[in-house]
Amino acid sequence: MKKKKLIGLSFALFLVFILFFNWIYPYSALSVTGSVPYKSDPIVVEQYNKGLKEFKKKYQNHVDEGGLHQDLTTDRIQYILQMYEQEWLLSKESMSLSKLDLDGILSEVQEARRLLIQLTFEESYDKETKMFLKILLEDTLDLEKRISYLIHSEHHTRQELDNVMGNVHMSFISNFNLFTTFFETYSGQR
């Protein structure tokens, strides 16, 4: 009887330890849920959404001015823009982000990087536009590294992950600002 109580107590302590470990280190190998709630600053999200709408309006005007003639840059911008329209960037509500969600975010960034590289080698730009494209591409590569770091952060606490996630969010906003500058410079050269 004592042996059964000891086994039961040991199992209960082990279970409590695992639950506690899951709470503190949500992306660890022992984690059951493997997700972290992230809530962005509503004021930042509101300003970001406003900037995104303004950009889309400028882009649409640019497309309308070009008529049926679409150059490669104008065409690719619509696909790069998808990276900035992810739900977790636009939502003021708390969202739970798993490693699978982070893989999806990384995939969007990698696709945008691929398109930016394509523009680098297949389009001709003036010196200023080329410089902004280079800066945007470098920043996109850095963003990709930050997301990869987050995906592989098994030994970070929930608080550390929240801080890193906030930094990634702000990096997206900074990257969007660079993207906007590149587009404005590009559309000004036409």
Side-chain angles (χ1 to χ4, degrees), residues 33-175:
T33 59
S35 64
V36 173
Y38 175 70
K39 181 165 177 36
S40 55
D41 183 350
I43 296 170
V44 171
V45 172
E46 188 175 319
Q47 290 174 342
Y48 178 74
N49 284 334
K50 182 181 175 189
L52 189 61
K53 284 179 185 173
E54 288 172 6
F55 177 84
K56 288 168 112 177
K57 194 180 293 184
K58 287 178 189 175
Y59 174 69
Q60 191 57 50
N61 289 339
H62 177 80
V63 169
D64 292 344
E65 287 173 7
L68 294 176
H69 174 68
Q70 295 284 326
D71 61 1
L72 186 64
T73 303
T74 303
D75 180 62
R76 295 305 186 258
I77 283 179
Q78 66 183 319
Y79 301 111
I80 296 169
L81 191 58
Q82 293 173 3
M83 177 177 84
Y84 304 109
E85 296 176 315
Q86 297 177 64
E87 184 182 354
W88 74 277
L89 290 170
L90 304 173
S91 177
K92 294 179 186 178
E93 303 299 318
S94 179
M95 296 188 70
S96 186
L97 295 171
S98 67
K99 283 191 174 188
L100 189 60
D101 295 326
L102 293 175
D103 282 335
I105 293 168
L106 180 61
S107 176
E108 289 283 347
V109 174
Q110 289 170 332
E111 178 62 18
R113 175 196 24 99
R114 188 187 68 72
L115 293 170
L116 290 170
I117 290 172
Q118 181 185 27
L119 292 178
T120 302
F121 291 104
E122 293 183 19
E123 284 284 273
S124 298
Y125 301 108
D126 64 22
K127 191 174 183 176
E128 185 180 21
T129 305
K130 199 178 287 189
M131 178 191 69
F132 283 120
L133 178 59
K134 177 183 179 257
I135 293 168
L136 175 60
L137 181 56
E138 289 172 348
D139 193 70
T140 303
L141 288 168
D142 184 58
L143 183 58
E144 194 174 329
K145 287 178 191 173
R146 287 174 182 258
I147 296 166
S148 291
Y149 174 78
L150 192 58
I151 289 171
H152 301 294
S153 58
E154 293 182 357
H155 306 294
H156 289 84
T157 64
R158 185 173 292 274
Q159 180 65 38
E160 291 169 335
L161 289 173
D162 189 55
N163 288 338
V164 173
M165 199 62 215
N167 291 341
V168 167
H169 191 185
M170 294 310 291
S171 294
F172 262 97
I173 292 171
S174 172
N175 190 276

Side-chain angles (χ1 to χ4, degrees), residues 22-36:
N22 282 328
W23 176 254
I24 299 296
Y25 301 100
Y27 287 157
S28 73
L30 297 175
S31 180
V32 176
T33 59
S35 64
V36 173

